Amino acid sequence: MAINCFRYFGFTSFSQVDSLTITQYEIMAEALELRMLDESLHEHRQAFLNYAAQAEKPAGKGKTRPVYRKFQQFFDYEQELRKLRSKKKKKGESRFAGIGKLLNRRGE
């Protein structure tokens, strides 16, 4: 346990390890495993994107051309930004939509 605390959690003294409860250690260990899984996901996604960016399609007799000629075709930042902003608006509206329906039912 102490080795993991020094190695993975940035502890610098045994007093820090001694003040840690088993429950706290288990939570920190689970969080570490999840963070490592997230990093692995990121690495695999990056590898897939590298492969996709190099994709080619047929363009005549024995010739190929890139599937994505411009970066924006591969990843449209502005479109993704619009999607995120529209999700935030929908979340804000839906948060109170249920309350409005409940109040309308009581008024009937």
Side-chain angles (χ1 to χ4, degrees):
M1 183 171 139
I3 292 172
N4 287 342
C5 288
F6 291 120
R7 183 174 181 184
Y8 297 115
F9 305 136
F11 286 24
T12 56
S13 70
F14 283 104
S15 62
Q16 290 174 305
V17 176
D18 292 340
S19 66
L20 191 64
T21 67
I22 296 297
T23 304
Q24 291 171 332
Y25 173 78
E26 289 173 350
I27 291 170
M28 292 175 72
E30 184 177 352
L32 174 65
E33 289 173 342
L34 291 171
R35 184 174 53 233
M36 291 171 66
L37 180 61
D38 290 343
E39 290 173 6
S40 181
L41 172 66
H42 176 73
E43 292 165 355
H44 285 81
R45 183 180 293 143
Q46 185 62 48
F48 179 79
L49 291 173
N50 289 343
Y51 174 77
Q54 296 174 19
E56 294 183 337
K57 60 183 174 182
K61 294 183 178 179
K63 295 183 180 180
T64 60
R65 66 179 180 88
V67 172
Y68 306 104
R69 292 182 179 210
K70 297 179 182 177
F71 178 74
Q72 188 175 8
Q73 292 173 317
F74 184 68
F75 181 77
D76 189 344
Y77 178 82
E78 295 300 324
Q79 180 181 356
E80 295 299 320
L81 188 58
R82 285 190 297 274
K83 285 181 190 177
L84 283 176
R85 288 182 175 160
S86 70
K87 281 183 184 179
K88 285 184 180 180
K89 287 180 184 177
K90 287 180 184 177
K91 280 185 180 179
E93 293 168 0
S94 66
R95 186 169 123 195
F96 298 107
I99 295 171
K101 289 178 185 178
L102 182 64
L103 291 174
N104 286 337
R105 286 184 187 164
R106 288 189 178 180
E108 292 177 351

